[in-house]
Amino acid sequence: MARLVMKFGGTSVANVDRIRNVARHVKREADAGHDVAVVVSAMSGKTNELVGWCREAAPLHDAREYDAVVASGEQVTAGLLAIVLQEMGIQARSWMGWQVPILTDGAHGVARITGIDGSGIIRHFEERKEVAVVAGFQGMHEPTRRISTLGRGGSDTSAVALTAAIGADRCDIYTDVDGVYTTDPRIVPHARRLDRVSFEEMLELASLGAKVLQVRSVELAMTQKVRTFVRSSFDDPLDPKPGTLICDEEDILENNVITGIAYSKDEAQITLRRVADKPGVAAAIFVPMAEANINVDMIIQVVSDDTTTTDITFTVGSADFERAKAILESSRDKIGFATLEGATDVVKVSAIGIGMRSHAGVAARAFQALAEKGINIRAITTSEIKFSVLIDSAYTELAVRTLHSLYGLDKPQ
Ligand code: ADP
Ligand code: ASP
Ligand code: MG
């Protein structure tokens, strides 16, 4: 007998029929005698609709009220799944974030979990053999007792955190694909499913755009040593497949130089032309960005030919683009630049693999392959186990497919 957390994403609970299918997966585990806590997302599209309503009500709105609105999607699916399970003869009860409670900090809209008291759920396992159906994505800021949410895709994090809190043996993330692939299977049909992927590589894949898991869920799984699988909710509930295990590097037998390719369209490029080439200029640009909580990613400073001015290019998340430009314009005199150029039709394509640590020239091959396809690289960054290139977004699919084939990731035909 084991204790399990099963998480189902938006597509898996998109309507009552699909919720019935989810209930069959849950029934399988409950019938096997396991203690089961289920974490559910809102029905697919619901959170987008709720976010849209908040924006329509007021473009700049109170983040606490945004959370009150957007957390409602998960309340509906948690209640519906409990009803369907009861209808199948399984003891089940829904739990909202505040009822567990799942406690968070006060960063409404992007809150972090600070603690979970799983004792109530465990008591119901022991006393009633009852399945807990927990609303994902939401928590409670304890000092103010207000509802909070964990950022988009946050139900993954709810599930992993709950697994650690109730001492469950495993966290199964059920989604609309049957595991983690070498790249997004929706844009590369030849992508291969990975049986195993290391925490470190999954962390990079998720941070660089593969939205199959929220970044924080991978961080938590890594630090709390949560055994996490990504698997399909569309498998036959009576014949489920194992999916992909996220695990320690040592537990992976076969090591490719590159494990996966990710892309992110949430990028924007800013170029400052003819910036004074003197000490303190980089600080004048990037300190205000940091103070405004704007994450800067790729940075390129061109060596000046006249020794008095230089050009600086960098990227920020597209959501921060307008704010970043406004901050730079307001410090134009202090920084001393001639023009500011911006672009949002850019994409960051990244290749990730722990094998890069021990192989030279991995990125160079990519630059050559992209050049042969006529794809211009606007910026590059590299680190120990990944490199990224910034290119025009029109070339996204071509670039991802080119790198996927280049590193031998295509599924044999
Ligand atoms: P859920 O609603 O279940 O949380 P998401 O839409 O958040 O599901 O994540 C699943 C999606 O992630 C898949 O449909 C797929 O298109 C996308 N995805 C991107 N990169 C990958 C990858 N490397 N492996 C698997 N899926 C990926
Ligand atoms: N429903 C939330 C979202 O769409 C959380 C989640 O699905 O994980 O972002
Ligand atoms: Mg998701």
Side-chain angles (χ1 to χ4, degrees):
M1 238 186 51
R3 183 170 289 171
L4 303 179
V5 171
M6 308 169 78
K7 180 258 172 179
F8 294 88
T11 327
S12 312
V13 293
N15 53 48
V16 174
D17 250 3
R18 295 226 176 126
I19 292 179
R20 266 199 197 98
N21 187 56
V22 163
R24 289 187 199 106
H25 281 281
V26 175
K27 183 173 180 343
R28 177 190 68 237
E29 305 296 1
D31 285 352
H34 304 316
D35 290 339
V36 184
V38 191
V39 172
V40 284
S41 290
M43 292 179 178
S44 63
K46 193 63 193 174
T47 310
N48 286 346
E49 181 182 48
L50 296 168
V51 171
W53 286 345
C54 291
R55 292 202 182 121
E56 194 183 325
L60 280 179
H61 43 256
D62 186 327
R64 286 159 294 194
E65 301 311 335
Y66 164 95
D67 276 351
V69 175
V70 299
S72 66
E74 274 71 10
Q75 173 157 346
V76 172
T77 45
L80 286 174
L81 178 58
I83 292 175
V84 171
L85 285 167
Q86 290 169 1
E87 170 81 3
M88 286 181 174
I90 298 166
Q91 289 261 54
R93 184 61 63 209
S94 67
W95 299 74
M96 299 307 110
W98 62 271
Q99 289 170 313
V100 176
I102 297 173
L103 302 175
T104 73
D105 63 15
H108 284 277
V110 286
R112 272 181 183 272
I113 295 175
T114 51
I116 297 181
D117 179 358
S119 59
I121 289 180
I122 292 173
R123 202 170 54 247
H124 286 221
F125 286 156
E126 288 166 352
E127 291 172 3
R128 312 183 191 177
K129 259 296 166 204
E130 183 180 273
V131 171
V133 185
V134 179
F137 185 48
Q138 48 168 271
M140 179 180 80
H141 178 228
E142 195 172 24
T144 57
R145 300 187 57 79
R146 297 213 61 92
I147 295 175
S148 54
T149 64
L150 309 178
R152 299 306 305 270
S155 299
D156 298 329
T157 303
S158 310
V160 173
L162 186 66
T163 310
I166 63 172
D169 304 86
R170 202 170 85 214
C171 179
D172 286 341
I173 308 271
Y174 287 83
T175 183
D176 54 4
V177 284
D178 59 355
V180 177
Y181 277 69
T182 46
T183 192
D184 188 344
R186 297 198 195 287
I187 76 159
V188 180
H190 300 318
R192 267 189 296 133
R193 191 181 60 78
L194 300 160
D195 285 334
R196 293 176 173 218
V197 61
S198 71
F199 288 118
E200 269 188 296
E201 288 171 320
M202 193 62 234
L203 201 53
E204 293 286 4
L205 278 166
S207 354
L208 295 167
K211 68 168 187 163
V212 60
L213 287 177
Q214 200 199 31
V215 179
R216 282 182 192 166
S217 71
V218 187
E219 279 169 4
L220 261 184
M222 186 157 110
T223 53
Q224 304 284 314
K225 303 224 167 297
V226 173
R227 211 172 146 70
T228 305
F229 287 84
V230 174
R231 52 198 298 191
S232 171
S233 70
F234 296 120
D235 281 350
D236 176 357
L238 297 176
D239 182 24
K241 309 283 181 302
T244 301
L245 171 66
I246 323 294
C247 60
D248 285 324
E249 205 176 310
E250 297 77 58
D251 299 329
I252 296 179
L253 305 173
E254 169 211 10
N255 253 333
N256 287 323
V257 176
I258 295 293
T259 301
I261 312 291
Y263 65 93
S264 163
K265 292 191 169 169
D266 299 328
E267 310 288 323
Q269 178 183 346
I270 293 178
T271 300
L272 298 175
R273 297 244 183 246
R274 281 186 278 127
V275 181
D277 194 9
K278 59 174 196 228
V281 168
I285 297 170
F286 297 117
V287 170
M289 295 287 128
E291 281 169 356
N293 244 327
I294 295 176
N295 253 329
V296 172
D297 182 18
M298 304 167 132
I299 303 179
I300 297 176
Q301 178 169 348
V302 178
V303 178
S304 59
D305 42 15
D306 60 2
T307 71
T308 57
T309 65
T310 181
D311 292 348
I312 293 184
T313 291
F314 59 94
T315 61
V316 296
S318 48
D320 293 328
F321 181 55
E322 294 300 333
R323 231 156 37 93
K325 280 198 307 185
I327 291 170
L328 293 167
E329 285 294 1
S330 69
S331 357
R332 184 187 270 259
D333 291 342
K334 195 161 161 230
I335 305 168
F337 57 88
T339 56
L340 184 160
E341 291 159 21
T344 49
D345 53 349
V346 291
V347 63
K348 183 169 68 176
V349 177
S350 310
I352 296 110
I354 36 188
M356 276 180 79
R357 285 195 198 120
S358 48
H359 288 79
V362 179
R365 289 172 58 203
F367 305 153
Q368 179 137 31
L370 294 173
E372 280 162 12
K373 301 278 182 196
I375 301 173
N376 182 42
I377 300 173
R378 292 164 168 254
I380 300 170
T381 51
T382 65
S383 73
E384 206 189 15
I385 66 161
K386 57 111 180 164
F387 67 85
S388 306
V389 293
L390 190 74
I391 60 169
D392 289 354
S393 58
Y395 294 112
T396 309
E397 293 189 12
L398 180 61
V400 171
R401 288 185 182 154
T402 301
L403 299 190
H404 197 265
S405 309
L406 177 72
Y407 296 114
L409 299 176
D410 289 353
K411 189 163 58 185
Q413 306 282 313

